[in-house]
Amino acid sequence: METQKFNYDNNIVRAFLYATIAFGLVGFLLGLTAALMLFYPELPEFLFGTDDTTIKSLASGNIQGLINTQGAMGFGRIRMLHTSAVIFAFVCNSFFCGAYYSMQRLLKTRMYSDTLSWIHFWSWQIMIISVVITFLMGINTSKEYAEHEWPIDILIAFSWIIFGINMFGTIAKRRVRHLYVAIWFYLATWIAVAMLHIFNNLEVPLSFTSWKSYSVYAGVKDALVQWWYGHNAVAFVLTTPVLGLMYYFMPKAAQRPVFSYKLSIIHFWSLIFVYLWAGPHHLQYTALPAWAQAVGTGFSIMLIAPSWGGMLNGLLTLRGAWDKVRENPILKFFVVAVTCYGMATFEGPLLATKSLNKIGHYTDWVIGHVHLGALGWNGFMAFGVVYYLVPIMWRTTLWSKKLANWHFWLGTLGIIFYAVPMYISGFTQGLMWKQFNPDGTLLWKNWLDTVTAIIPYFKMRFLGGVLYLSGAILMVINVIKTIKAGSFQKEVPAEAPALANIGSTRKEGEGVHLWLERTPTLLSILAFITIAIGGLVEIVPTLSLKQSVPTITAVKPYTPLELEGRDLYIREGCNSCHSQMIRPFRDEVVRFEGKNGQYSKAGEFVYDRPFLWGSKRTGPDLHREGGRNPDSWHFKHMYNPRITSAGSIMPRFPWLITNKLDKTQMVDKMKLMKNAFDVPYTKAQIDSANQWADNQSKAIVQRIYSEATDVKDQMIKEKAAKGSAYVPLEQREIVAMIAYLQRLGTDIKTTQIQTASVE
């Protein structure tokens, strides 16, 4: 058969490689900033100015600079920007880099379309820049790993579809009959992410000129869909694509075949089947139906088998080549990456069990677990791919193996200094929260007792981050030097015989899986069915049956002012640190609920779009916050938490006190809630929304002035100084925020709980 000549495209690989390195540094730096703010919450004041004379500042002794930032440096926004940068900018770019390189070589063809490759590249980078801008402005949905607002969701979907067309087109024109295991994982990744992204991000925009939208799901249903997405974003963004890279780059670097073809088959199909069922383990002991929690636990434990099958397949690929690990820094990164994958995928199922979940959930244990995977598995795999590709693509040797080894050891120490303190911190939190005195009172009643106990571990975690970032900087130096010493090859000549057409029917004696490997359409359809089963079984009954969430007659929709306050709460990323879910534990009911004695019920969240249950308690749970503290306390707490709570690590929100509340969309929000989601607002309530909000604002301000004369005096002075430019306190953002916080958990009382299923 005649041999065909063609060229591999290294140009697109180089672009994604540069993006991986650049955004990796940005993501690590943002993570380090967030880590620093957890024991030095005054960082924004240091940078922009403060009125607190006990804090040194680069600016003058004036808080206006901090107010002018409008919260861009707030912990909530930095934290979501960090997670998004690491997931979508660093890990996804590293996947695209490795996929574009490996697909061409595995399929013996150039990518289907250079134009589609570049549309994919630029649309993805534009999306990342859009995320940075919008998050810093406070434009977000609050849904973990999916905080992007609706226009960015559409851009992500567009870019992902372009990538899919290019990938399927490349497979269609391949010159290799059977698809290698790495391609199976790429296909499953594309299918699953498309499904997860679309269904979780179904939202109704306030208008097509507004960046604000509301989830089509509410409360318990939104929580289930979000963690079906959230857990499987870890599965199909941070795991399966990286496993595809492992199956290609690890054997290449070791110059050994994959340990077991049969194990690869078992690993692939069992992993993509089991993963989609495990999402509810993030919602143990919450208001989620018990059957869904049980299913999540069962399948999470099952996940150990396929995950460890993949880990062993990777490590055993190095049989007979362990001497190379001593010499080759690339293999060092891969070995530790796969080991971290094994550790994280063993720990995850353990945390999914109810016994450990009641201690670990909402604590730093989960943060340590996540970063063992992110820093070890994702980071080290990406570093290994970079070190593998740069010398090959620039036709030279790595500038310094010693520097690469330094990077390896700094990174490994960074992981240890990050994860271990977080485990200790998490155990400390979980155990302190649950301890009682012999007389039945909480041993650690003040929330700040647990916060101050774990500050040393936050500092050690920061040190781990510094070590990890230092290693990445060494990599950048090494890469730059290697590139300067080499010569980049844009077009790589290759040749292979054309693929003969033998039809898609299964041949006599041909193994079922061998047949599937040469019929990519059927393989993709079966992968889609395998992936979709778990989601269908868990989500469809919960969404379709109204009876799955009983209605509580006392629970009423938010007032217009409370609705605005809730949107401010989301804007500032408050759910990064505060949960809104009191689980049915004695310690939580006593700590957060007091006299009422009610844990959180599913029916309380029917008007919450999106749900705000949170996944981490840096601060206390707020689901029963309403009425616990006076309005003036909230006013001062937002201005400077250290005034009301000595030792607090909460950031300051002074702009909430100076900003005028924008109520121009308030009526539109109520109309949307009524028309799109059937929230029972009456026409009279909507028509009088502004008056309703004004009356509630006046009542809050009257209480603040009666409780805190110093605040009243300050407003009188401000009015005298500003004259006509003065904005009455009733019209400011802080009042809406207080209205929302004081509403939380006040609908149900012990004496008036009445539950009725909706017909």
Side-chain angles (χ1 to χ4, degrees):
M1 186 176 291
E2 185 184 352
T3 298
Q4 296 179 340
K5 295 187 176 182
F6 54 95
N7 292 308
Y8 296 135
D9 177 16
N10 271 357
N11 223 13
I12 189 68
V13 180
R14 177 175 63 176
F16 277 114
L17 184 129
Y18 285 165
T20 300
I21 295 170
F23 285 122
L25 289 177
V26 171
F28 304 154
L29 194 58
L30 286 165
L32 204 58
T33 304
L36 175 61
M37 292 171 77
L38 283 173
F39 63 88
Y40 183 51
E42 298 90 355
L43 178 65
E45 294 173 75
F46 173 76
L47 295 174
F48 303 110
T50 183
D51 56 358
D52 189 338
T53 55
T54 64
I55 299 170
K56 292 182 180 178
S57 176
L58 295 177
S60 59
N62 184 330
I63 202 169
Q64 191 59 45
L66 180 61
I67 292 170
N68 291 342
T69 68
Q70 289 296 306
M73 271 293 288
F75 176 84
R77 300 190 197 178
I78 294 294
R79 190 258 185 189
M80 72 178 75
L81 190 54
H82 160 62
T83 56
S84 201
V86 169
I87 294 169
F88 291 92
F90 174 57
V91 176
C92 283
N93 272 318
S94 72
F95 162 54
F96 297 141
C97 168
Y100 274 99
Y101 181 87
S102 59
M103 266 196 291
Q104 296 182 77
R105 285 146 183 88
L106 288 170
L107 300 171
K108 293 286 188 287
T109 184
R110 192 182 183 90
M111 291 305 296
Y112 173 68
S113 167
D114 288 4
T115 302
L116 289 180
S117 297
W118 286 106
I119 291 173
H120 173 215
F121 174 79
W122 285 113
S123 59
W124 198 261
Q125 310 317 312
I126 290 167
M127 177 273 292
I128 293 165
I129 299 302
S130 304
V131 168
V132 173
I133 294 168
T134 53
F135 282 8
L136 290 177
M137 292 173 66
I139 298 169
N140 72 87
T141 66
S142 84
K143 298 180 77 169
E144 203 150 353
Y145 314 142
E147 295 97 342
H148 327 97
E149 266 293 1
W150 67 273
I152 297 176
D153 285 335
I154 292 171
L155 183 55
I156 291 172
F158 168 79
S159 189
W160 195 252
I161 289 166
I162 293 295
F163 171 57
I165 293 169
N166 210 10
M167 178 170 65
F168 283 104
T170 306
I171 291 169
K173 68 169 198 170
R174 70 194 186 281
R175 294 183 179 86
V176 175
R177 191 169 307 285
H178 296 92
L179 300 182
Y180 178 65
V181 57
I183 307 290
W184 315 344
F185 279 101
Y186 298 164
L187 286 170
T189 295
W190 189 86
I191 292 164
V193 170
M195 180 178 71
L196 293 162
H197 176 75
I198 290 168
F199 280 98
N200 185 53
N201 291 299
L202 290 175
E203 51 219 355
V204 181
L206 190 57
S207 73
F208 288 105
T209 57
S210 165
W211 279 81
K212 184 66 184 172
S213 68
Y214 293 95
S215 172
V216 299
Y217 317 108
V220 171
K221 297 178 181 182
D222 191 41
L224 178 60
V225 175
Q226 159 58 26
W227 281 112
W228 170 74
Y229 165 90
H231 179 76
N232 293 303
V234 174
F236 289 96
V237 179
L238 303 180
T239 305
T240 56
V242 188
L243 284 168
L245 299 183
M246 179 197 82
Y247 273 113
Y248 178 80
F249 286 99
M250 202 161 177
K252 280 284 187 182
Q255 297 179 321
R256 289 284 190 281
V258 169
F259 170 67
S260 171
Y261 165 67
K262 287 184 179 178
L263 189 55
S264 302
I265 296 171
I266 296 167
H267 176 210
F268 173 73
W269 290 105
S270 57
L271 192 76
I272 68 170
F273 172 72
V274 175
Y275 243 129
L276 267 290
W277 297 76
H281 78 222
H282 289 265
L283 301 169
Q284 300 284 30
Y285 292 108
T286 66
L288 191 73
W291 70 266
Q293 296 181 41
V295 168
T297 300
F299 277 90
S300 297
I301 293 167
M302 287 186 218
L303 260 177
I304 294 175
S307 298
W308 273 49
M311 176 195 70
L312 292 172
N313 215 7
L315 291 179
L316 290 173
T317 297
L318 297 174
R319 70 202 187 287
W322 284 100
D323 56 313
K324 292 183 179 180
V325 177
R326 285 196 300 272
E327 307 294 327
N328 190 343
I330 298 169
L331 288 177
K332 284 191 179 77
F333 279 105
F334 286 159
V335 167
V336 170
V338 175
T339 305
C340 285
Y341 169 64
M343 291 164 67
T345 52
F346 181 72
E347 183 186 20
L350 291 182
L351 275 167
T353 62
K354 288 203 164 188
S355 301
L356 288 180
N357 189 277
K358 66 183 177 185
I359 300 172
H361 194 42
Y362 292 128
T363 74
D364 287 322
W365 184 353
V366 178
I367 308 302
H369 161 68
V370 167
H371 282 81
L372 182 67
L375 299 174
W377 167 235
N378 298 124
F380 270 33
M381 280 300 299
F383 298 150
V385 169
V386 168
Y387 281 124
Y388 177 86
L389 288 178
V390 170
I392 289 175
M393 290 168 60
W394 273 268
R395 295 179 288 186
T396 186
T397 55
L398 190 63
W399 180 68
S400 173
K401 273 192 178 182
K402 184 178 283 188
L403 213 59
N405 281 317
W406 268 100
H407 176 197
F408 169 78
W409 288 112
L410 282 171
T412 303
L413 281 172
I415 295 167
I416 294 167
F417 272 92
Y418 191 108
V420 174
M422 287 297 94
Y423 290 141
I424 300 171
S425 169
F427 303 153
T428 303
Q429 287 171 302
L431 296 174
M432 286 181 75
W433 293 345
K434 292 192 171 295
Q435 285 183 291
F436 281 86
N437 288 309
D439 65 355
T441 58
L442 286 165
L443 179 59
W444 308 102
K445 188 175 182 180
N446 188 337
W447 185 266
L448 286 168
D449 290 336
T450 60
V451 173
T452 52
I454 60 177
I455 293 294
Y457 306 115
F458 284 166
K459 292 177 179 177
M460 289 175 71
R461 183 252 298 270
F462 179 76
L463 172 61
V466 169
L467 292 170
Y468 197 86
L469 177 61
S470 302
I473 291 169
L474 292 185
M475 180 188 72
V476 173
I477 295 167
N478 215 352
V479 166
I480 291 170
K481 291 286 190 180
T482 305
I483 288 171
K484 284 185 176 178
S487 170
F488 181 69
Q489 190 176 18
K490 285 186 182 180
E491 306 281 333
V492 182
E495 56 182 49
L499 194 62
N501 185 10
I502 63 167
S504 59
T505 55
R506 187 179 165 198
K507 308 301 177 190
E508 189 177 343
E510 185 179 24
V512 174
H513 210 272
L514 272 174
W515 171 55
L516 278 179
E517 288 165 32
R518 66 177 181 83
T519 51
T521 303
L522 183 58
L523 177 72
S524 300
I525 291 169
L526 290 176
F528 170 72
I529 293 169
T530 306
I531 290 165
I533 290 170
L536 285 169
V537 172
E538 287 180 347
I539 290 174
V540 170
T542 309
L543 295 186
S544 59
L545 298 175
K546 286 188 177 180
Q547 290 86 349
S548 63
V549 181
T551 300
I552 298 173
T553 54
V555 175
K556 305 299 181 189
Y558 293 106
T559 69
L561 190 66
E562 290 159 2
L563 202 58
E564 290 292 346
R566 193 172 197 274
D567 286 343
L568 293 175
Y569 185 94
I570 289 170
R571 184 188 78 186
E572 301 302 336
C574 299
N575 58 299
S576 291
C577 294
H578 293 283
S579 58
Q580 287 185 25
M581 173 52 62
I582 297 173
R583 298 177 295 174
F585 299 143
R586 178 183 165 212
D587 63 287
E588 294 198 11
V589 170
V590 171
R591 183 185 302 280
F592 302 124
E593 179 51 17
K595 292 179 292 184
N596 201 8
Q598 292 293 330
Y599 57 85
S600 300
K601 310 293 193 300
E604 293 184 76
F605 303 99
V606 292
Y607 302 120
D608 284 9
R609 297 176 187 271
F611 84 113
L612 292 172
W613 294 0
S615 59
K616 170 78 166 65
R617 283 180 184 155
T618 305
D621 187 278
L622 299 181
H623 192 223
R624 294 281 182 260
E625 182 59 31
R628 287 173 65 90
N629 291 295
D631 294 342
S632 59
W633 184 93
H634 286 291
F635 182 96
K636 293 180 178 181
H637 191 64
M638 288 293 175
Y639 182 72
N640 187 350
R642 261 79 53 203
I643 293 174
T644 57
S645 312
S648 171
I649 58 172
M650 178 175 152
R652 296 181 66 171
F653 296 91
W655 51 89
L656 290 176
I657 291 166
T658 58
N659 286 353
K660 183 177 180 180
L661 177 66
D662 180 6
K663 294 195 286 188
T664 55
Q665 295 181 319
M666 189 167 66
V667 173
D668 291 336
K669 289 177 182 178
M670 292 184 72
K671 288 179 179 177
L672 177 73
M673 291 294 169
K674 180 175 175 60
N675 298 332
F677 307 127
D678 204 26
V679 174
Y681 290 122
T682 64
K683 185 178 185 301
Q685 285 176 323
I686 294 173
D687 291 342
S688 63
N690 283 295
Q691 187 61 48
W692 190 1
D694 289 345
N695 291 341
Q696 191 174 6
S697 298
K698 287 174 185 173
I700 290 170
V701 172
Q702 283 176 0
R703 288 195 293 270
I704 292 173
Y705 285 168
S706 66
E707 294 159 2
T709 54
D710 56 330
V711 174
K712 184 176 183 179
D713 293 342
Q714 179 61 34
M715 289 299 128
I716 292 170
K717 289 179 186 175
E718 192 178 316
K719 185 176 182 179
K722 291 190 174 181
S724 60
Y726 173 75
V727 176
L729 184 56
E730 291 87 345
Q731 298 176 21
R732 301 191 192 183
E733 289 181 342
I734 184 66
V735 178
M737 179 69 92
I738 292 171
Y740 171 63
L741 292 172
Q742 293 289 38
R743 171 64 185 277
L744 289 175
T746 58
D747 282 351
I748 70 167
K749 305 292 180 188
T750 305
T751 55
Q752 63 178 72
I753 296 174
Q754 183 181 347
T755 302
S757 294
V758 177
E759 296 301 325

